[in-house]
Amino acid sequence: MEHQLPAIFNYILLFGVAFFWTITYVLVIYRGFKDQFCGMPLACICANITWEFLLTFIMPFHPLQQIVTLIWFLLDCIILFQFLYYSRTSYAKSTVRAGVFALLIIAFLLHYGMAVEFHDHMAIYSAFGINLMMSVLFIQMLLAKGHQGQSLSIAYFKMIGTLCASIVCYFLQPQSVLLMIMYVLIFVLDIVYIALMYRGSIKTVLRPAIAG
């Protein structure tokens, strides 16, 4: 049973999802070229691209949604290019290509299977599954690699875009316990990610002053 969200608020939130996530991808790309380091874990890239491919070319449910997911798909292709380009000195080319191909196939099959299994033509469950994985792996990447490829702006825009999506999807499926758990976990992890990014930024600013 759906709860009714006033149309104007629904449109504002949907615009927020499209806007803030698009800016997030653009900032990841910008920071990646600036730092010469891909700021998104490979598993996240492959999960995003295959979800966007599914919603753009195989299971579109609205023309505007199709345009947005196409834009995201193209942006994620650039991020995948960054990963392939900047990892070329760390791993054998054949190993990287085989890993990417395998992850793309696995991610696509899981997205399609979840959409069919849960009768989820909007792929909401897999979308928030990806988002939860991103929240975890972004923190892991920050702890392992520092601020390479990442920024506070990316952290804030990701959180806001996901919060908009969480509110919209709650009103679509208020009975889903699984989705509610994911909404809360993602929000908490995004707050942790922002706090860690902020702490790292403060240390970076203070380090020269302390050294001086």
Side-chain angles (χ1 to χ4, degrees):
M1 179 180 178
E2 296 183 8
H3 292 175
Q4 190 65 36
L5 184 66
I8 184 64
F9 292 115
N10 190 61
Y11 292 139
I12 291 172
L13 289 169
L14 288 174
F15 174 80
V17 176
F19 176 78
F20 288 112
W21 266 102
T22 300
I23 296 300
T24 299
Y25 289 136
V26 170
L27 289 174
V28 169
I29 291 169
Y30 167 77
R31 187 71 188 222
F33 283 126
K34 181 180 179 181
D35 294 350
Q36 296 187 2
F37 179 86
C38 180
M40 189 179 292
L42 178 59
C44 301
I45 301 171
C46 293
N48 279 330
I49 283 181
T50 48
W51 185 87
E52 292 148 3
F53 181 87
L54 184 69
L55 269 292
T56 301
F57 301 107
I58 299 177
M59 291 173 43
F61 57 85
H62 191 280
L64 289 178
Q65 161 270 312
Q66 193 172 19
I67 293 172
V68 172
T69 50
L70 175 60
I71 293 171
W72 291 349
F73 173 78
L74 295 174
L75 291 173
D76 271 319
C77 285
I78 297 174
I79 297 174
L80 178 59
F81 166 79
Q82 287 182 324
F83 176 85
L84 294 172
Y85 185 77
Y86 293 128
S87 65
R88 71 192 190 282
T89 58
S90 302
Y91 307 98
K93 186 180 295 186
S94 59
T95 301
V96 172
R97 288 180 178 176
V100 169
F101 180 76
L103 284 174
L104 289 173
I105 295 299
I106 292 169
F108 177 82
L109 292 175
L110 287 174
H111 293 327
Y112 181 77
M114 289 179 70
V116 173
E117 183 76 15
F118 292 113
H119 306 287
D120 182 17
H121 70 285
M122 297 171 66
I124 293 174
Y125 286 92
S126 56
F128 281 95
I130 296 169
N131 210 315
L132 180 57
M133 177 178 66
M134 290 181 69
S135 295
V136 172
L137 293 183
F138 270 43
I139 292 174
Q140 187 275 331
M141 177 176 280
L142 176 62
L143 295 175
K145 302 292 185 180
H147 282 206
Q148 281 188 298
Q150 302 181 67
S151 69
L152 265 173
S153 298
I154 293 170
Y156 277 117
F157 282 121
K158 176 192 180 303
M159 183 189 70
I160 297 170
T162 303
L163 186 59
C164 291
S166 298
I167 296 170
V168 170
C169 292
Y170 169 74
F171 280 92
L172 287 175
Q173 299 196 45
Q175 78 288 350
S176 176
V177 176
L178 176 58
L179 286 175
M180 178 59 70
I181 290 171
M182 288 197 285
Y183 303 153
V184 174
L185 286 176
I186 292 167
F187 183 73
V188 171
L189 288 169
D190 285 350
I191 292 294
V192 171
Y193 180 51
I194 289 172
L196 291 172
M197 287 291 300
Y198 183 76
R199 186 181 69 175
S201 298
I202 292 297
K203 287 183 178 179
T204 301
V205 171
L206 293 179
R207 190 176 295 120
I210 294 173

